[in-house]
PDB file of all heavy atoms in Angstrom:
ATOM      1  N   ILE A  19       0.877  -1.189   0.011  1.00 83.00           N
ATOM      2  CA  ILE A  19      -0.030  -0.009   0.027  1.00 83.00           C
ATOM      3  C   ILE A  19       0.925   1.232   0.006  1.00 83.00           C
ATOM      4  O   ILE A  19       1.800   1.347   0.829  1.00 83.00           O
ATOM      5  CB  ILE A  19      -0.898   0.036   1.250  1.00 83.00           C
ATOM      6  CG1 ILE A  19      -1.619  -1.243   1.466  1.00 83.00           C
ATOM      7  CG2 ILE A  19      -1.845   1.193   1.198  1.00 83.00           C
ATOM      8  CD1 ILE A  19      -2.309  -1.353   2.850  1.00 83.00           C
ATOM      9  N   GLN A  20       0.631   2.161  -0.909  1.00 62.00           N
ATOM     10  CA  GLN A  20       1.370   3.419  -0.836  1.00 62.00           C
ATOM     11  C   GLN A  20       0.670   4.339   0.181  1.00 62.00           C
ATOM     12  O   GLN A  20      -0.602   4.363   0.201  1.00 62.00           O
ATOM     13  CB  GLN A  20       1.392   4.090  -2.208  1.00 62.00           C
ATOM     14  CG  GLN A  20       2.058   3.246  -3.313  1.00 62.00           C
ATOM     15  CD  GLN A  20       3.480   2.897  -2.994  1.00 62.00           C
ATOM     16  OE1 GLN A  20       4.215   3.664  -2.372  1.00 62.00           O
ATOM     17  NE2 GLN A  20       3.927   1.692  -3.391  1.00 62.00           N
ATOM     18  N   GLY A  21       1.435   5.052   0.989  1.00 53.00           N
ATOM     19  CA  GLY A  21       0.799   5.831   2.064  1.00 53.00           C
ATOM     20  C   GLY A  21       0.553   4.847   3.212  1.00 53.00           C
ATOM     21  O   GLY A  21       1.143   3.840   3.397  1.00 53.00           O
ATOM     22  N   ALA A  22      -0.386   5.170   4.041  1.00 51.00           N
ATOM     23  CA  ALA A  22      -0.810   4.322   5.193  1.00 51.00           C
ATOM     24  C   ALA A  22       0.395   3.903   6.028  1.00 51.00           C
ATOM     25  O   ALA A  22       0.609   2.753   6.282  1.00 51.00           O
ATOM     26  CB  ALA A  22      -1.562   3.125   4.677  1.00 51.00           C
ATOM     27  N   GLY A  23       1.223   4.907   6.358  1.00 48.00           N
ATOM     28  CA  GLY A  23       2.364   4.549   7.233  1.00 48.00           C
ATOM     29  C   GLY A  23       3.619   4.242   6.428  1.00 48.00           C
ATOM     30  O   GLY A  23       4.670   4.035   6.961  1.00 48.00           O
ATOM     31  N   GLY A  24       3.525   4.222   5.087  1.00 47.00           N
ATOM     32  CA  GLY A  24       4.684   3.939   4.248  1.00 47.00           C
ATOM     33  C   GLY A  24       4.873   5.058   3.228  1.00 47.00           C
ATOM     34  O   GLY A  24       4.175   6.060   3.241  1.00 47.00           O
ATOM     35  N   ASP A  25       5.862   4.853   2.320  1.00 53.00           N
ATOM     36  CA  ASP A  25       6.075   5.791   1.270  1.00 53.00           C
ATOM     37  C   ASP A  25       6.504   4.966   0.043  1.00 53.00           C
ATOM     38  O   ASP A  25       6.537   3.762   0.088  1.00 53.00           O
ATOM     39  CB  ASP A  25       7.120   6.814   1.628  1.00 53.00           C
ATOM     40  CG  ASP A  25       8.416   6.247   2.162  1.00 53.00           C
ATOM     41  OD1 ASP A  25       8.877   5.267   1.537  1.00 53.00           O
ATOM     42  OD2 ASP A  25       8.946   6.733   3.151  1.00 53.00           O
ATOM     43  N   ALA A  26       6.901   5.712  -0.995  1.00 54.00           N
ATOM     44  CA  ALA A  26       7.257   4.971  -2.237  1.00 54.00           C
ATOM     45  C   ALA A  26       8.410   3.999  -2.074  1.00 54.00           C
ATOM     46  O   ALA A  26       8.466   2.907  -2.681  1.00 54.00           O
ATOM     47  CB  ALA A  26       7.557   5.964  -3.357  1.00 54.00           C
ATOM     48  N   ASP A  27       9.369   4.372  -1.223  1.00 60.00           N
ATOM     49  CA  ASP A  27      10.550   3.496  -0.973  1.00 60.00           C
ATOM     50  C   ASP A  27      10.330   2.446   0.040  1.00 60.00           C
ATOM     51  O   ASP A  27      10.908   1.398   0.078  1.00 60.00           O
ATOM     52  CB  ASP A  27      11.730   4.325  -0.556  1.00 60.00           C
ATOM     53  CG  ASP A  27      12.187   5.308  -1.649  1.00 60.00           C
ATOM     54  OD1 ASP A  27      12.100   4.923  -2.856  1.00 60.00           O
ATOM     55  OD2 ASP A  27      12.536   6.465  -1.377  1.00 60.00           O
ATOM     56  N   HIS A  28       9.336   2.704   1.049  1.00 68.00           N
ATOM     57  CA  HIS A  28       9.052   1.789   2.089  1.00 68.00           C
ATOM     58  C   HIS A  28       7.537   1.641   2.209  1.00 68.00           C
ATOM     59  O   HIS A  28       6.901   2.111   3.184  1.00 68.00           O
ATOM     60  CB  HIS A  28       9.648   2.280   3.371  1.00 68.00           C
ATOM     61  CG  HIS A  28      11.129   2.493   3.381  1.00 68.00           C
ATOM     62  ND1 HIS A  28      11.673   3.710   3.003  1.00 68.00           N
ATOM     63  CD2 HIS A  28      12.136   1.617   3.578  1.00 68.00           C
ATOM     64  CE1 HIS A  28      13.018   3.615   3.049  1.00 68.00           C
ATOM     65  NE2 HIS A  28      13.318   2.330   3.369  1.00 68.00           N
ATOM     66  N   PRO A  29       6.927   0.954   1.302  1.00 75.00           N
ATOM     67  CA  PRO A  29       5.464   0.795   1.301  1.00 75.00           C
ATOM     68  C   PRO A  29       5.029  -0.107   2.408  1.00 75.00           C
ATOM     69  O   PRO A  29       5.777  -0.948   2.926  1.00 75.00           O
ATOM     70  CB  PRO A  29       5.131   0.164  -0.051  1.00 75.00           C
ATOM     71  CG  PRO A  29       6.373  -0.564  -0.395  1.00 75.00           C
ATOM     72  CD  PRO A  29       7.493   0.254   0.105  1.00 75.00           C
ATOM     73  N   THR A  30       3.831   0.086   2.885  1.00 82.00           N
ATOM     74  CA  THR A  30       3.217  -0.812   3.887  1.00 82.00           C
ATOM     75  C   THR A  30       2.799  -2.136   3.196  1.00 82.00           C
ATOM     76  O   THR A  30       2.166  -2.084   2.147  1.00 82.00           O
ATOM     77  CB  THR A  30       1.955  -0.123   4.563  1.00 82.00           C
ATOM     78  OG1 THR A  30       2.363   1.059   5.168  1.00 82.00           O
ATOM     79  CG2 THR A  30       1.288  -1.072   5.547  1.00 82.00           C
ATOM     80  N   LEU A  31       3.208  -3.233   3.819  1.00 88.00           N
ATOM     81  CA  LEU A  31       2.868  -4.521   3.217  1.00 88.00           C
ATOM     82  C   LEU A  31       1.629  -5.128   3.833  1.00 88.00           C
ATOM     83  O   LEU A  31       1.342  -4.875   5.051  1.00 88.00           O
ATOM     84  CB  LEU A  31       4.086  -5.498   3.387  1.00 88.00           C
ATOM     85  CG  LEU A  31       5.406  -5.019   2.789  1.00 88.00           C
ATOM     86  CD1 LEU A  31       6.496  -6.038   3.088  1.00 88.00           C
ATOM     87  CD2 LEU A  31       5.259  -4.786   1.373  1.00 88.00           C
ATOM     88  N   VAL A  32       0.894  -5.839   3.094  1.00 91.00           N
ATOM     89  CA  VAL A  32      -0.399  -6.432   3.540  1.00 91.00           C
ATOM     90  C   VAL A  32      -0.511  -7.829   2.940  1.00 91.00           C
ATOM     91  O   VAL A  32      -0.059  -8.083   1.781  1.00 91.00           O
ATOM     92  CB  VAL A  32      -1.570  -5.509   3.196  1.00 91.00           C
ATOM     93  CG1 VAL A  32      -1.732  -5.394   1.689  1.00 91.00           C
ATOM     94  CG2 VAL A  32      -2.818  -5.999   3.839  1.00 91.00           C
ATOM     95  N   VAL A  33      -1.166  -8.727   3.656  1.00 94.00           N
ATOM     96  CA  VAL A  33      -1.500 -10.054   3.153  1.00 94.00           C
ATOM     97  C   VAL A  33      -3.026 -10.279   3.238  1.00 94.00           C
ATOM     98  O   VAL A  33      -3.643  -9.954   4.250  1.00 94.00           O
ATOM     99  CB  VAL A  33      -0.774 -11.147   4.030  1.00 94.00           C
ATOM    100  CG1 VAL A  33      -1.043 -12.533   3.471  1.00 94.00           C
ATOM    101  CG2 VAL A  33       0.709 -10.912   4.050  1.00 94.00           C
ATOM    102  N   ALA A  34      -3.552 -10.868   2.208  1.00 93.00           N
ATOM    103  CA  ALA A  34      -4.983 -11.152   2.188  1.00 93.00           C
ATOM    104  C   ALA A  34      -5.237 -12.526   1.606  1.00 93.00           C
ATOM    105  O   ALA A  34      -4.538 -12.937   0.669  1.00 93.00           O
ATOM    106  CB  ALA A  34      -5.726 -10.067   1.349  1.00 93.00           C
ATOM    107  N   ARG A  35      -6.212 -13.227   2.163  1.00 92.00           N
ATOM    108  CA  ARG A  35      -6.581 -14.531   1.591  1.00 92.00           C
ATOM    109  C   ARG A  35      -7.579 -14.259   0.451  1.00 92.00           C
ATOM    110  O   ARG A  35      -8.554 -13.518   0.634  1.00 92.00           O
ATOM    111  CB  ARG A  35      -7.253 -15.427   2.624  1.00 92.00           C
ATOM    112  CG  ARG A  35      -7.493 -16.855   2.143  1.00 92.00           C
ATOM    113  CD  ARG A  35      -7.805 -17.792   3.229  1.00 92.00           C
ATOM    114  NE  ARG A  35      -9.091 -17.560   3.851  1.00 92.00           N
ATOM    115  CZ  ARG A  35      -9.538 -18.181   4.919  1.00 92.00           C
ATOM    116  NH1 ARG A  35      -8.807 -19.129   5.448  1.00 92.00           N
ATOM    117  NH2 ARG A  35     -10.724 -17.925   5.387  1.00 92.00           N
ATOM    118  N   VAL A  36      -7.343 -14.844  -0.708  1.00 91.00           N
ATOM    119  CA  VAL A  36      -8.151 -14.648  -1.903  1.00 91.00           C
ATOM    120  C   VAL A  36      -8.669 -15.968  -2.439  1.00 91.00           C
ATOM    121  O   VAL A  36      -8.226 -17.016  -2.009  1.00 91.00           O
ATOM    122  CB  VAL A  36      -7.441 -13.828  -2.966  1.00 91.00           C
ATOM    123  CG1 VAL A  36      -7.080 -12.435  -2.464  1.00 91.00           C
ATOM    124  CG2 VAL A  36      -6.131 -14.591  -3.376  1.00 91.00           C
ATOM    125  N   ASN A  37      -9.590 -15.870  -3.390  1.00 88.00           N
ATOM    126  CA  ASN A  37     -10.142 -17.070  -4.024  1.00 88.00           C
ATOM    127  C   ASN A  37      -9.031 -17.863  -4.718  1.00 88.00           C
ATOM    128  O   ASN A  37      -8.425 -17.341  -5.626  1.00 88.00           O
ATOM    129  CB  ASN A  37     -11.230 -16.706  -4.964  1.00 88.00           C
ATOM    130  CG  ASN A  37     -11.996 -17.887  -5.543  1.00 88.00           C
ATOM    131  OD1 ASN A  37     -11.511 -19.018  -5.440  1.00 88.00           O
ATOM    132  ND2 ASN A  37     -13.168 -17.623  -6.103  1.00 88.00           N
ATOM    133  N   PRO A  38      -8.748 -19.084  -4.299  1.00 89.00           N
ATOM    134  CA  PRO A  38      -7.653 -19.833  -4.940  1.00 89.00           C
ATOM    135  C   PRO A  38      -7.909 -20.196  -6.369  1.00 89.00           C
ATOM    136  O   PRO A  38      -6.975 -20.489  -7.100  1.00 89.00           O
ATOM    137  CB  PRO A  38      -7.534 -21.074  -4.071  1.00 89.00           C
ATOM    138  CG  PRO A  38      -8.855 -21.264  -3.418  1.00 89.00           C
ATOM    139  CD  PRO A  38      -9.374 -19.860  -3.255  1.00 89.00           C
ATOM    140  N   SER A  39      -9.197 -20.214  -6.805  1.00 89.00           N
ATOM    141  CA  SER A  39      -9.487 -20.579  -8.186  1.00 89.00           C
ATOM    142  C   SER A  39      -9.307 -19.441  -9.163  1.00 89.00           C
ATOM    143  O   SER A  39      -9.204 -19.665 -10.353  1.00 89.00           O
ATOM    144  CB  SER A  39     -10.918 -21.105  -8.289  1.00 89.00           C
ATOM    145  OG  SER A  39     -11.866 -20.116  -7.876  1.00 89.00           O
ATOM    146  N   SER A  40      -9.268 -18.206  -8.651  1.00 86.00           N
ATOM    147  CA  SER A  40      -9.052 -17.063  -9.576  1.00 86.00           C
ATOM    148  C   SER A  40      -8.304 -15.913  -8.829  1.00 86.00           C
ATOM    149  O   SER A  40      -8.813 -14.853  -8.604  1.00 86.00           O
ATOM    150  CB  SER A  40     -10.416 -16.499 -10.028  1.00 86.00           C
ATOM    151  OG  SER A  40     -11.258 -16.156  -8.892  1.00 86.00           O
ATOM    152  N   PRO A  41      -7.031 -16.179  -8.405  1.00 87.00           N
ATOM    153  CA  PRO A  41      -6.253 -15.167  -7.725  1.00 87.00           C
ATOM    154  C   PRO A  41      -5.822 -14.075  -8.666  1.00 87.00           C
ATOM    155  O   PRO A  41      -5.697 -14.217  -9.903  1.00 87.00           O
ATOM    156  CB  PRO A  41      -5.037 -15.925  -7.247  1.00 87.00           C
ATOM    157  CG  PRO A  41      -4.843 -17.065  -8.283  1.00 87.00           C
ATOM    158  CD  PRO A  41      -6.265 -17.454  -8.667  1.00 87.00           C
ATOM    159  N   PRO A  42      -5.603 -12.830  -8.152  1.00 88.00           N
ATOM    160  CA  PRO A  42      -5.174 -11.735  -8.961  1.00 88.00           C
ATOM    161  C   PRO A  42      -3.760 -11.997  -9.539  1.00 88.00           C
ATOM    162  O   PRO A  42      -2.994 -12.803  -9.054  1.00 88.00           O
ATOM    163  CB  PRO A  42      -5.104 -10.530  -7.962  1.00 88.00           C
ATOM    164  CG  PRO A  42      -5.916 -11.012  -6.815  1.00 88.00           C
ATOM    165  CD  PRO A  42      -5.802 -12.415  -6.706  1.00 88.00           C
ATOM    166  N   GLU A  43      -3.466 -11.289 -10.605  1.00 87.00           N
ATOM    167  CA  GLU A  43      -2.176 -11.438 -11.276  1.00 87.00           C
ATOM    168  C   GLU A  43      -1.111 -10.615 -10.546  1.00 87.00           C
ATOM    169  O   GLU A  43      -1.346  -9.563 -10.061  1.00 87.00           O
ATOM    170  CB  GLU A  43      -2.287 -10.958 -12.732  1.00 87.00           C
ATOM    171  CG  GLU A  43      -3.159 -11.818 -13.625  1.00 87.00           C
ATOM    172  CD  GLU A  43      -2.532 -13.200 -13.877  1.00 87.00           C
ATOM    173  OE1 GLU A  43      -1.279 -13.274 -13.942  1.00 87.00           O
ATOM    174  OE2 GLU A  43      -3.303 -14.139 -14.043  1.00 87.00           O
ATOM    175  N   LYS A  44       0.111 -11.112 -10.525  1.00 88.00           N
ATOM    176  CA  LYS A  44       1.250 -10.390  -9.990  1.00 88.00           C
ATOM    177  C   LYS A  44       1.433  -9.091 -10.778  1.00 88.00           C
ATOM    178  O   LYS A  44       1.359  -9.054 -11.981  1.00 88.00           O
ATOM    179  CB  LYS A  44       2.508 -11.248 -10.045  1.00 88.00           C
ATOM    180  CG  LYS A  44       3.743 -10.537  -9.531  1.00 88.00           C
ATOM    181  CD  LYS A  44       4.935 -11.434  -9.669  1.00 88.00           C
ATOM    182  CE  LYS A  44       6.191 -10.709  -9.215  1.00 88.00           C
ATOM    183  NZ  LYS A  44       7.435 -11.611  -9.339  1.00 88.00           N
ATOM    184  N   GLY A  45       1.631  -7.996 -10.051  1.00 86.00           N
ATOM    185  CA  GLY A  45       1.829  -6.715 -10.666  1.00 86.00           C
ATOM    186  C   GLY A  45       0.563  -5.943 -10.915  1.00 86.00           C
ATOM    187  O   GLY A  45       0.591  -4.721 -11.190  1.00 86.00           O
ATOM    188  N   SER A  46      -0.604  -6.558 -10.699  1.00 89.00           N
ATOM    189  CA  SER A  46      -1.852  -5.860 -10.915  1.00 89.00           C
ATOM    190  C   SER A  46      -2.187  -5.020  -9.653  1.00 89.00           C
ATOM    191  O   SER A  46      -1.610  -5.190  -8.607  1.00 89.00           O
ATOM    192  CB  SER A  46      -2.973  -6.819 -11.192  1.00 89.00           C
ATOM    193  OG  SER A  46      -3.229  -7.682 -10.099  1.00 89.00           O
ATOM    194  N   THR A  47      -3.154  -4.151  -9.786  1.00 88.00           N
ATOM    195  CA  THR A  47      -3.629  -3.355  -8.657  1.00 88.00           C
ATOM    196  C   THR A  47      -5.045  -3.791  -8.307  1.00 88.00           C
ATOM    197  O   THR A  47      -5.921  -3.832  -9.175  1.00 88.00           O
ATOM    198  CB  THR A  47      -3.653  -1.850  -8.966  1.00 88.00           C
ATOM    199  OG1 THR A  47      -2.286  -1.416  -9.202  1.00 88.00           O
ATOM    200  CG2 THR A  47      -4.176  -1.040  -7.772  1.00 88.00           C
ATOM    201  N   VAL A  48      -5.248  -4.101  -7.032  1.00 89.00           N
ATOM    202  CA  VAL A  48      -6.577  -4.516  -6.538  1.00 89.00           C
ATOM    203  C   VAL A  48      -6.944  -3.591  -5.413  1.00 89.00           C
ATOM    204  O   VAL A  48      -6.118  -2.846  -4.905  1.00 89.00           O
ATOM    205  CB  VAL A  48      -6.567  -5.970  -6.086  1.00 89.00           C
ATOM    206  CG1 VAL A  48      -6.247  -6.932  -7.225  1.00 89.00           C
ATOM    207  CG2 VAL A  48      -5.594  -6.204  -4.936  1.00 89.00           C
ATOM    208  N   HIS A  49      -8.240  -3.639  -5.001  1.00 88.00           N
ATOM    209  CA  HIS A  49      -8.664  -2.874  -3.909  1.00 88.00           C
ATOM    210  C   HIS A  49      -9.137  -3.843  -2.772  1.00 88.00           C
ATOM    211  O   HIS A  49      -9.947  -4.745  -3.044  1.00 88.00           O
ATOM    212  CB  HIS A  49      -9.833  -1.919  -4.290  1.00 88.00           C
ATOM    213  CG  HIS A  49      -9.344  -0.768  -5.154  1.00 88.00           C
ATOM    214  ND1 HIS A  49      -8.980  -0.943  -6.488  1.00 88.00           N
ATOM    215  CD2 HIS A  49      -9.135   0.525  -4.839  1.00 88.00           C
ATOM    216  CE1 HIS A  49      -8.625   0.219  -6.953  1.00 88.00           C
ATOM    217  NE2 HIS A  49      -8.685   1.149  -6.033  1.00 88.00           N
ATOM    218  N   LEU A  50      -8.649  -3.636  -1.566  1.00 88.00           N
ATOM    219  CA  LEU A  50      -9.007  -4.503  -0.445  1.00 88.00           C
ATOM    220  C   LEU A  50      -9.751  -3.658   0.558  1.00 88.00           C
ATOM    221  O   LEU A  50      -9.447  -2.473   0.832  1.00 88.00           O
ATOM    222  CB  LEU A  50      -7.729  -5.029   0.216  1.00 88.00           C
ATOM    223  CG  LEU A  50      -6.908  -6.004  -0.614  1.00 88.00           C
ATOM    224  CD1 LEU A  50      -5.626  -6.424   0.128  1.00 88.00           C
ATOM    225  CD2 LEU A  50      -7.698  -7.248  -0.988  1.00 88.00           C
ATOM    226  N   ALA A  51     -10.797  -4.273   1.160  1.00 83.00           N
ATOM    227  CA  ALA A  51     -11.557  -3.636   2.171  1.00 83.00           C
ATOM    228  C   ALA A  51     -11.597  -4.471   3.421  1.00 83.00           C
ATOM    229  O   ALA A  51     -11.944  -5.657   3.394  1.00 83.00           O
ATOM    230  CB  ALA A  51     -13.044  -3.449   1.710  1.00 83.00           C
ATOM    231  N   PRO A  52     -11.193  -3.903   4.578  1.00 82.00           N
ATOM    232  CA  PRO A  52     -11.331  -4.600   5.874  1.00 82.00           C
ATOM    233  C   PRO A  52     -12.830  -4.795   6.168  1.00 82.00           C
ATOM    234  O   PRO A  52     -13.578  -3.886   6.377  1.00 82.00           O
ATOM    235  CB  PRO A  52     -10.710  -3.643   6.903  1.00 82.00           C
ATOM    236  CG  PRO A  52      -9.910  -2.708   6.096  1.00 82.00           C
ATOM    237  CD  PRO A  52     -10.601  -2.537   4.786  1.00 82.00           C
TER     238      PRO A  52
END
């Protein structure tokens, strides 16, 4: 995540469980909601 306690050089990292049958592609941008 850019921002949210990080910056371009030190982004905040996040892990999410997603649907194993159709996971997002590496390098793509997705939106996550708590």
Side-chain angles (χ1 to χ4, degrees):
I19 309 170
Q20 301 301 327
D25 54 42
D27 296 322
H28 303 91
T30 298
L31 302 179
V32 66
V33 182
R35 187 166 70 184
V36 295
N37 187 342
S39 62
S40 57
E43 293 291 329
K44 178 181 176 181
S46 63
T47 297
V48 299
H49 289 75
L50 295 175

